[in-house]
Amino acid sequence: MQRYSLFLMLVWLSSFVYAGVDVKTYIPQRAPLYTLTIASEQAEFFPELEEPNYLFGLIEQESCISLTHSRCFNPYSELKNSREQGVGLGQITRAYKSDGTIRFDSLRDLRAKHLAELNELNWGNVKDRVDLQIRALLLMSRDNYKSLYRVKDPAERLKMSDAAYNAGLGRINKDRTKCSLKEGCDPQVWNDNVELTCTASQTPIPMYGNKSPCRINREHVYNVFEIRMPKYMQFFNTKSPPSVASVPQAPEVKIQTIWDRRFYLDYFFKYD
């Protein structure tokens, strides 16, 4: 009865809206600056990517506090706290232990794996080398995508590689294993399957808006694929990419229902 009552309450809340920017249609002002670089780097380093607009959705998710914020699509964008530091369009990250020592360093690891491609990239120049930021993002995404070769459908594999971009490949492999052991769960499918077998912590973290690592990861995939990336197809439907001046800047009016997939996921993980 408690579950059913909560469900009815959330459905009732769906009639309310919030005001703000329409994330589904609004193109951040800096986004067109990187169309040529992203297109050329993707063609060289991730040619098998069937949805190149994914890269713009990923950058928007990683760098944009809001779509009109100065950090949005800004290579100098930085998130830094006692737990981690993320820099640039793809938020290249290093994380710290409680004693201040490095827990992991994605730039170091990527550079070691792809020395020829990222030899010039380091923590001293990362903010100034937007070309290598984009290359690092592509290489990390490509590595995750290729490692998930057992996922046969390219669209499903890309969703899982996005989850791995946020939480790590090992975490998503654990999620897929948990799904494979659950009756009725298909480890080849993200939505309503692997999506719902999260093995990350569900304990809220105050410095991350009181969201848990599990919720952050699932929202990452939802936001990139359902909210952010579709609008960027216009960059690939024309012979020449749009310039900053040619991208229409929508008025800052957003209609977003409260009842959406994120609330459904919150409900599932809390009461399942």
Side-chain angles (χ1 to χ4, degrees):
M1 180 61 69
Q2 181 185 12
R3 294 180 59 163
Y4 183 69
S5 298
L6 178 62
F7 177 81
L8 290 179
M9 180 182 71
L10 290 173
V11 172
W12 174 75
L13 285 171
S14 69
S15 61
F16 291 85
V17 297
Y18 287 123
V21 172
D22 187 348
V23 183
K24 289 189 174 182
T25 59
Y26 186 92
I27 301 288
Q29 189 172 7
R30 286 189 181 87
L33 294 172
Y34 307 112
T35 51
L36 291 176
T37 303
I38 290 173
S40 62
E41 292 287 315
Q42 184 254 320
E44 181 173 357
F45 296 106
F46 198 176
E48 60 268 49
L49 179 63
E50 296 182 359
E51 298 178 275
N53 55 320
Y54 162 72
L55 301 170
F56 287 87
L58 176 58
I59 291 172
E60 183 178 297
Q61 175 68 20
E62 291 290 329
S63 68
C64 299
I65 297 174
S66 75
L67 299 192
T68 56
H69 196 281
S70 60
R71 296 181 184 179
C72 188
F73 275 86
N74 188 335
Y76 284 82
S77 177
E78 181 173 14
L79 179 152
K80 189 173 183 180
N81 55 43
S82 61
R83 292 172 59 97
E84 64 180 334
Q85 176 188 15
V87 173
L89 301 182
Q91 289 294 285
I92 299 171
T93 302
R94 55 183 171 186
Y96 305 96
K97 299 177 182 178
S98 58
D99 62 3
T101 58
I102 297 293
R103 182 164 63 88
F104 73 83
D105 183 333
S106 62
L107 191 157
R108 177 196 62 197
D109 295 344
L110 267 173
R111 190 173 179 274
K113 190 173 184 179
H114 302 286
L115 186 58
E117 297 88 348
L118 298 174
N119 182 48
E120 298 178 12
L121 187 64
N122 57 64
W123 283 106
N125 68 6
V126 61
K127 292 181 181 179
D128 299 313
R129 293 298 304 269
V130 64
D131 57 328
L132 295 182
Q133 287 185 24
I134 291 169
R135 185 174 299 177
L137 176 150
L138 274 160
L139 290 171
M140 186 182 299
S141 297
R142 185 194 70 183
D143 289 349
N144 289 331
Y145 186 84
K146 287 188 173 182
S147 294
L148 290 161
Y149 64 91
R150 289 186 178 86
V151 181
K152 302 305 180 184
D153 183 85
E156 297 297 335
R157 192 193 306 185
L158 189 59
K159 286 185 178 182
M160 294 187 205
S161 69
D162 181 77
Y165 188 96
N166 174 259
L169 183 62
R171 174 64 62 192
I172 304 311
N173 283 333
K174 289 180 181 178
D175 294 348
R176 294 188 66 239
T177 298
K178 182 178 179 180
C179 176
S180 69
L181 298 173
K182 182 179 179 180
E183 184 178 358
C185 190
D186 186 351
Q188 294 281 326
V189 178
W190 177 260
N191 283 5
D192 298 323
N193 287 272
V194 177
E195 177 186 37
L196 301 183
T197 54
C198 184
T199 59
S201 170
Q202 296 184 36
T203 302
I205 300 175
M207 72 173 63
Y208 295 129
N210 220 33
K211 296 180 181 180
S212 69
C214 178
R215 176 175 174 177
I216 290 170
N217 182 252
R218 271 32 184 181
E219 279 193 7
H220 193 283
V221 181
Y222 171 84
N223 287 342
V224 169
F225 286 86
E226 305 297 331
I227 303 296
R228 301 188 187 280
M229 65 180 271
K231 65 190 173 191
Y232 290 106
M233 273 309 299
Q234 64 182 280
F235 284 16
F236 302 93
N237 289 336
T238 58
K239 292 184 179 180
S240 58
S243 65
V244 173
S246 69
V247 175
Q249 295 300 301
E252 295 194 23
V253 177
K254 172 191 174 184
I255 302 298
Q256 177 181 333
T257 58
I258 292 178
W259 174 254
D260 61 20
R261 190 170 190 82
R262 287 168 292 183
F263 279 80
Y264 161 67
L265 293 174
D266 281 351
Y267 176 80
F268 181 88
F269 286 124
K270 186 172 182 180
Y271 292 97
D272 181 49

